[in-house]
Amino acid sequence: AHWNWIKRQGDVDFTRFDSIILSYEVGCMKPHAGIYAAAEAASGVAPDRIAFIDDRAENIHAASQHGWQTHLFVDAANVLRWLELAS
């Protein structure tokens, strides 16, 4: 339900992303290492090329431990600015 709500907001063009990994599809929740392993495998890129956005500090910390680029979600406008700076 949360994912569908996010998509309906229309603030982010999700076609910009090569992969979107959802915990309910993988079968484990963040910050469990399995979710990050699934995302790395799906991405096919080096960990430092993975962008991870989340609203929980413990999930951001776990992703950063894998060498990912991370951003703590506050609002959609803030994420868009971060993505623009990262590109």
Side-chain angles (χ1 to χ4, degrees):
H2 189 226
W3 175 242
N4 289 330
W5 178 85
I6 290 170
K7 291 190 303 185
R8 283 193 309 269
Q9 300 314 299
D11 294 326
V12 177
D13 176 9
F14 288 102
T15 63
R16 295 179 60 184
F17 302 100
D18 295 329
S19 299
I20 297 174
I21 306 302
L22 304 171
S23 58
Y24 75 90
E25 292 178 344
V26 174
C28 60
M29 293 177 62
K30 304 165 284 182
H32 188 279
I35 193 76
Y36 305 101
E40 285 183 22
S43 74
V45 299
D48 66 343
R49 304 266 306 142
I50 297 173
F52 179 77
I53 302 162
D54 200 282
D55 62 347
R56 299 184 59 136
E58 62 269 26
N59 297 338
I60 292 295
H61 175 74
S64 68
Q65 297 292 52
H66 288 268
W68 296 9
Q69 298 177 53
T70 60
H71 183 79
L72 184 63
F73 179 86
V74 176
D75 59 48
N78 187 276
V79 170
L80 291 173
R81 282 191 300 276
W82 180 74
L83 289 171
E84 189 174 287
L85 292 172
S87 61

